[in-house]
Amino acid sequence: MGAGRAPGKSQPPRLSGKRATLHPGAWWLWALSLGTAATRTTNPLLLALLISASAYVVATHRTPTPASRAYTAFAKLALAVLLIRLLFAMALGSPIPGTHTLLTLPEVPLPHWAQGIRLGGKVTAEALVFAGYDGLKLATLLICVGAANALAGPARLLKSLPGALYETGVAVVVALTFAPHLIADVQRL
């Protein structure tokens, strides 16, 4: 018995060099909370901080599994969504009026039943900034879902669910795994 220990008390277990793994539901709750925060703001600084936080956590905590590559796939998808949002704002116009015209595209006349929609016309700086903020919000949400996929893949989340929720979990996992598999198939082609 060592000096300074009370009789009958055991020593606390020593932690090995391994990091304790978190429950997959905890990773998903964390990532979806980040995503929820992203939907509540258009501040680019806050959105960049959410992206940076998720990237840091994924880089330091992901395990070498096939699902861990989902983060880069979702990041590429997020960049594509941001670019498409900006292109749509240029081509289809924006409801945000602006005074700083960047360029003027040829405007295509549309029939009377398509009032309120325009193709081409003035592209303003204010409309592009609004579209960029809006696209960044959606891109951040996609990156947060990618972080959840990378840290605790949907299959791992499904294994941790209680038996009563298994069928609901299968439906959710099928929905969550569709996008990464589609991206992987496109990359292979």
Side-chain angles (χ1 to χ4, degrees):
M1 182 181 288
R5 270 197 304 174
K9 297 268 182 169
S10 65
Q11 211 173 16
R14 291 183 178 233
L15 295 175
S16 65
K18 291 183 181 180
R19 179 179 294 149
T21 57
L22 288 178
H23 189 278
W27 284 123
W28 278 91
L29 182 63
W30 169 78
L32 293 177
S33 297
L34 284 183
T36 302
T39 63
R40 306 295 297 165
T41 186
T42 56
N43 184 333
L45 178 61
L46 291 177
L47 294 172
L49 286 172
L50 290 173
I51 291 171
S52 299
S54 70
Y56 176 76
V57 171
V58 168
T60 58
H61 288 82
R62 72 175 156 191
T63 56
T65 62
S68 68
R69 292 188 302 262
Y71 188 76
T72 52
F74 272 90
K76 289 176 184 176
L77 178 64
L79 181 62
V81 163
L82 180 61
L83 293 175
I84 289 170
R85 178 66 177 100
L86 288 171
L87 288 174
F88 276 1
M90 288 175 62
L92 301 176
S94 175
I96 305 298
T99 57
H100 299 90
T101 302
L102 297 176
L103 66 132
T104 304
L105 298 174
E107 193 163 351
V108 177
L110 295 175
H112 72 280
W113 53 265
Q115 286 181 344
I117 301 173
R118 72 172 173 87
L119 292 174
K122 290 183 180 180
V123 178
T124 63
E126 292 85 358
L128 283 182
V129 167
F130 175 77
Y133 288 170
D134 200 39
L136 186 60
K137 183 192 320 187
L138 182 55
T140 305
L141 179 61
L142 285 169
I143 287 173
C144 292
V145 171
N149 271 292
L151 294 169
R156 186 171 156 216
L157 179 63
L158 182 62
K159 288 178 188 174
S160 68
L161 287 177
L165 297 176
Y166 183 78
E167 284 142 7
T168 305
V170 168
V172 171
V173 166
V174 167
L176 290 173
T177 57
F178 176 72
H181 287 297
L182 178 65
I183 292 168
D185 291 342
V186 168
Q187 286 176 342
R188 276 191 297 228
L189 287 176

